């Protein structure tokens, strides 16, 4: 199978498809709304942020830092803006004041129940409706134009200032979930579990973030779930746990994870992270792992598996895949099990981004992790005569800290893995690594077959080309690199297509159709935008399938839109987006997208949702679902939908749409589709007579086919009153 990415259209669009014109207006609107709280997310005149950390002062006297001082917002805030813009790209055509008002009602109900994440979704939809309403009015009439600030002011007055700051991501908060196997085989490992969680608590305290904690215990079934506001209460509860049941070394791990996602506050905010402690393989992850990954990827919530070898000396592959797709990892602890777990698991507390490795087209370095091969540069050690391979890591001015995790086999070679500073680095910033008298601090930690280099600086970063070296005779070598910082140059990537009647934003591009790749750059004022260069890097074969320069969209300074088609013969193996360029002071940066993208030969899209994404008493909410066969062969598709409250769900027979022909009504589910045919289903979720205002009901729709399993999740908010019949879309 060929993995060459054929770009049928490589030109950079200026907002030609999709609602890309809303980028700058949305960002400007939210920045103006957040202005009263500006001291919490803007750099001060001395080039530091409100916590006193380094900022524009590190860019040198030759750089005009005034734009940086004026425009630098924390990445937490910018991530929220990017997320709202992502939601707006799915345009269902609402353009009336009543549409915006009804979305606001849903957002307000979600926010008053503490569901910040869903409130942000619906405020974004309200913003989109207002923008469309004002755009379609050629001139004002008796109603006049309407400002988005009006709705946000109303929300602020309704939910209070602290919750309003949560909506704008101005409060530094995180939800930490601990999913703990309490089967009898874990009896000897519970002390280590407590020690690891204690270390995570210390890291959370050190980071100065406000945390909410969730503890789920499981064996064959979840035994319980508890939520806490204080770390002391968490430790007291964990100290009382006594593993006594099960112990057959195969547990329902994924049911415990799903239980945490759906039956707690985990989905209320995007700033969440999950840690799973077990010594067992799973007996249910083959069924649930795709749903878990889909939820966590959308939430930007990594899952980390901390595994013990009491039962199994190997790692369950489902754990590896879930961690891999969400930005976490699986760590099997053996002899050197007790060590500072925060050396490898601390992604919850700071904005981070993967940085790339050496400047080549080889994805082993580009994606920040991979195995040893002949892409590494070789050099000869003078004293031992042993061949050495090296990887180059670019460190730029916007990075406050970075962490390198390297794994090598056999483990006896661990002490020969080295992280070396740039040979031509600035003397003051880089100092002397050998004497230890340096602005740079490198904390090294070793466990089993892994070594972690945690790099911090007293002031400005040591920029340039760092080297990660390892022996040539290693059987395997993998590594990852993460950088952190509130003002770190980073980016968000997603796709927008026209598979339905309107534009649809997604993280799952479809093969064989035109997609718009959207790149949203954070901290753009620190970057020379005319130097930006993007790559699409496939996981299978480690191939760079496309690369090219970027041009700024005329309607948005921080947005870049590339039209491309991923051909069907590329296959469904994942890829990531890489961004390269120069910082304003001339140092080079490289970043890789936090998401893996998995293109599919069949395309599943939610094209419309009724009742303004809500459930009202004794009424049905429709969800329009389309599945398209982009393969070159006939395929059978089965659609099934479920929800977290077990409400009645009805799936009607689909309309089958064939290009150039009249549509037909199929009389079955599953349905057989020929190449290029689309089946449109209407799914109805029936709310009961009594609903609970603000409760979130997640509806999961899954399409099964011979080659693909496709999942879409819709979050509906319960209301206790119906919308006026005149306003109701359903």
């Amino acid at each position: 199978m060929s993995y060459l990415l054929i770009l049928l259209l490589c030109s950079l669009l200026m907002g030609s498809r999709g609602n890309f014109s809303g980028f700058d207006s949305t960002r400007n609107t939210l920045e103006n709304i957040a202005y009263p709280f500006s001291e919490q997310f803007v750099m001060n005149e001395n080039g530091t942020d409100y916590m006193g950390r380094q900022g524009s002062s590190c860019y040198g006297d030759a750089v005009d830092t005034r734009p940086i001082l004026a425009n630098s917002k924390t990445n937490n805030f910018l991530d929220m803006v990017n997320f709202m813009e992502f939601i707006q790209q799915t345009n269902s055509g609402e353009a009336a004041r009543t549409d915006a008002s009804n979305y606001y009602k849903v957002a307000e109900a979600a926010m008053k129940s503490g569901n910040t994440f869903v409130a942000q979704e619906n405020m974004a939809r309200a913003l989109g409706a207002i923008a469309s309403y004002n755009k379609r009015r050629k001139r004002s009439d008796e109603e006049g134009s309407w400002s988005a600030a009006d709705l946000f002011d109303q929300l602020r007055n309704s939910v209070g200032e602290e919750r309003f700051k949560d909506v704008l991501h101005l409060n530094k908060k995180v939800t930490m979930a601990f999913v703990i196997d309490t089967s009898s085989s874990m009896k000897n490992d519970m002390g280590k579990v407590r020690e690891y969680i204690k270390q995570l608590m210390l890291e959370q305290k050190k980071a100065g973030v406000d945390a909410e904690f969730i503890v789920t215990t499981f064996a064959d079934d979840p035994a319980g779930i508890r939520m806490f506001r204080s770390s002391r209460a968490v430790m007291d509860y964990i100290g009382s746990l006594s593993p006594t049941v099960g112990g057959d070394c195969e547990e329902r791990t994924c049911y415990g994870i799903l239980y945490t996602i759906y039956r707690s506050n985990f989905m209320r905010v995007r700033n969440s992270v999950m840690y799973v402690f077990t010594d067992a393989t799973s007996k249910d992850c083959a069924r649930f792992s795709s749903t878990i990954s889909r939820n966590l990827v959308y939430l930007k919530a990594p899952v980390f598996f901390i595994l013990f070898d009491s039962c199994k000396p190997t790692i369950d592959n489902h754990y590896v895949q879930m961690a891999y797709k969400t930005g976490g990892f699986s760590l099997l602890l053996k002899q050197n099990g007790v060590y500072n777990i925060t050396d490898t698991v601390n992604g919850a507390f700071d904005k981070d981004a993967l940085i790339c490795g050496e400047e080549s087209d080889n994805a082993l370095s580009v994606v920040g992790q991979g195995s040893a091969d002949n892409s590494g540069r070789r050099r000869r050690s003078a004293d031992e005569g042993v061949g050495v391979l090296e990887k180059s890591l670019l460190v730029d001015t916007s990075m406050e800290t970075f962490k390198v995790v390297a794994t090598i086999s056999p483990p006896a070679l661990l002490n020969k893995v080295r992280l070396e500073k740039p040979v031509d680095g600035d003397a003051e910033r880089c100092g002397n690594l050998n004497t230890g008298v340096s602005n740079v601090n490198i904390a090294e930690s070793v466990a089993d077959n892994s070594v972690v280099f945690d790099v911090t600086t007293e002031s400005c970063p040591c920029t340039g080309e760092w080297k990660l070296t390892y022996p040539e005779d290693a059987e395997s070598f993998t590594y990852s690199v993460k950088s952190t910082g509130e003002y770190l140059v980073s980016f968000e990537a997603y796709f927008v297509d026209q598979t339905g009647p309107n534009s649809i934003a997604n993280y799952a591009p479809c093969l064989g159709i035109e997609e718009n790749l959207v790149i949203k750059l954070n901290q753009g004022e620190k970057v020379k935008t005319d130097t930006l260069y993007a790559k699409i890097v496939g996981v299978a074969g480690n191939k760079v399938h496309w690369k090219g320069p970027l041009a700024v969209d005329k309607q948005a300074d921080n947005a870049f839109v590339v039209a491309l088609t991923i051909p069907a013969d590329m296959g469904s193996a994942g890829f990531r987006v890489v961004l390269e360029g120069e910082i304003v002071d001339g140092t080079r940066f490289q970043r890789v997208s936090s998401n893996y993208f998995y293109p599919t030969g069949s395309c599943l899209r939610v094209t419309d949702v009724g009742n303004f994404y809500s459930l009202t008493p004794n009424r049905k909410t429709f969800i329009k679902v389309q599945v398209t066969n982009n393969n070159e062969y006939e395929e059978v598709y089965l659609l099934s939908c479920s929800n977290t409250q077990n409400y009645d769900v009805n799936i009607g027979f689909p309309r089958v749409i064939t290009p150039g022909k009249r549509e037909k009504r199929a009389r079955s589910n599953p349905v057989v589709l020929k190449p290029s045919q689309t089946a449109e289903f209407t799914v109805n979720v029936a709310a009961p007579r009594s609903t609970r205002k603000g409760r979130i009901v997640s509806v999961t729709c899954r399409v099964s086919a011979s080659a693909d399993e496709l999942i879409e999740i819709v979050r509906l908010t319960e209301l206790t009153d119906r919308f006026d019949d005149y306003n109701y879309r359903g």
Side-chain angles (χ1 to χ4, degrees), residues 556-599:
D557 290 339
N558 65 327
F560 308 86
V561 184
V562 182
L564 52 84
T565 297
I566 305 173
D569 65 355
M570 180 182 178
S572 58
F575 64 84
R576 300 177 93 170
V577 178
V578 170
L579 190 64
E580 303 176 354
E582 289 185 11
I583 304 293
V584 290
D585 63 356
T587 59
R588 295 203 62 230
F589 80 91
Q590 296 174 312
R591 299 288 187 271
V592 62
S593 62
S594 58
N595 287 328
Y596 287 87
F597 298 97
Y598 294 92

Side-chain angles (χ1 to χ4, degrees), residues 392-413:
S392 296
L393 314 174
L394 286 184
V395 174
D396 62 81
T397 314
S398 76
M399 293 165 53
E400 292 183 16
T401 66
F402 70 95
K403 187 187 299 284
V404 181
V405 182
T407 302
I408 194 167
S409 180
L413 299 178

Side-chain angles (χ1 to χ4, degrees), residues 160-349:
E161 196 159 287
E162 283 305 305
R163 282 190 171 178
F164 182 70
K165 286 158 69 176
D166 288 344
V167 173
L168 297 180
H169 275 198
L170 300 181
N171 288 330
K172 198 172 182 183
K173 293 186 174 181
V174 66
T175 299
M176 300 172 64
F178 306 112
V179 182
I180 304 172
D181 179 355
T182 53
S183 61
S184 58
S185 62
M186 283 285 291
K187 185 175 182 179
N188 294 330
D189 295 316
M190 286 304 294
K192 297 176 185 177
V193 172
R194 297 183 187 104
E195 180 63 26
Y196 297 155
I197 293 177
K198 180 181 177 181
Q199 293 291 340
L200 288 166
M201 299 291 190
L202 292 174
E203 187 73 12
Q204 170 255 330
K205 184 177 180 180
K206 176 183 174 182
V209 298
D210 181 21
E212 183 177 62
F213 307 100
I214 301 167
V215 180
T216 302
T217 56
F218 73 93
D220 276 341
D221 290 297
I225 187 166
R226 297 280 299 273
M227 285 166 277
F228 304 91
R229 292 292 302 166
S230 76
S231 57
R232 176 175 294 182
V234 173
M235 295 309 301
D236 288 344
Y237 176 69
I238 293 176
S240 68
L241 295 178
S242 178
T244 56
V245 298
D248 58 358
C249 294
E250 281 193 350
E251 310 298 346
R252 296 185 67 188
T253 310
C254 277
Y255 189 56
I257 296 173
L258 276 179
Y259 200 74
T260 305
I261 293 173
Y262 290 143
R263 300 298 180 189
S264 70
N265 294 342
F266 189 80
M267 289 189 69
R268 292 189 173 188
V269 295
R270 291 188 98 201
N271 296 23
S272 301
V273 64
M274 183 179 293
Y275 309 94
V276 181
F277 299 88
T278 183
D279 65 348
T281 55
S282 69
K283 61 175 63 174
D284 61 349
C285 284
R287 178 182 177 189
F288 294 126
S289 61
S290 296
T291 301
I292 290 170
S293 296
R294 187 72 174 83
N295 273 286
L296 296 181
V297 166
Y298 193 75
L299 285 167
K300 300 284 188 181
V303 56
F304 299 92
F305 290 87
I306 315 303
L307 308 173
F308 307 94
D309 63 349
S310 304
C311 267
K312 299 286 182 72
T314 57
I315 302 177
D316 188 313
N317 187 57
H318 292 105
Y319 300 162
V320 174
Q321 290 301 313
M322 284 185 284
Y324 181 72
K325 290 179 180 180
T326 62
F329 56 80
S330 298
L331 184 66
L332 179 62
L333 303 177
K334 298 181 180 180
Q335 294 88 353
N336 298 327
V338 179
Y339 74 107
N340 188 349
I341 197 172
T342 59
D343 284 340
T344 52
V345 186
N346 67 350
F349 312 116

Side-chain angles (χ1 to χ4, degrees), residues 444-463:
E444 183 176 338
S445 179
V446 176
D448 297 327
N449 64 337
S450 297
V451 58
V452 180
F453 301 99
D454 194 351
V455 182
T456 59
T457 58
E458 298 296 330
S459 57
C460 297
C462 169
T463 58

Side-chain angles (χ1 to χ4, degrees), residues 40-90:
Q40 299 197 32
F41 67 98
V42 182
M43 286 186 179
N44 301 318
E45 292 181 358
N46 63 358
T48 62
D49 68 6
Y50 73 102
M51 294 182 67
R53 291 174 297 195
Q54 65 88 13
S56 64
S57 59
C58 291
Y59 291 87
D61 296 335
V63 176
D64 182 3
T65 60
R66 287 174 295 179
I68 298 176
L69 293 173
N71 297 313
S72 289
K73 314 298 187 298
T74 63
N75 280 321
N76 282 341
F77 175 78
L78 295 176
D79 286 347
M80 178 274 302
V81 176
N82 291 339
F83 175 61
M84 285 196 171
E85 290 173 341
F86 170 81
I87 296 297
Q88 283 183 266
Q89 300 314 307
T90 298

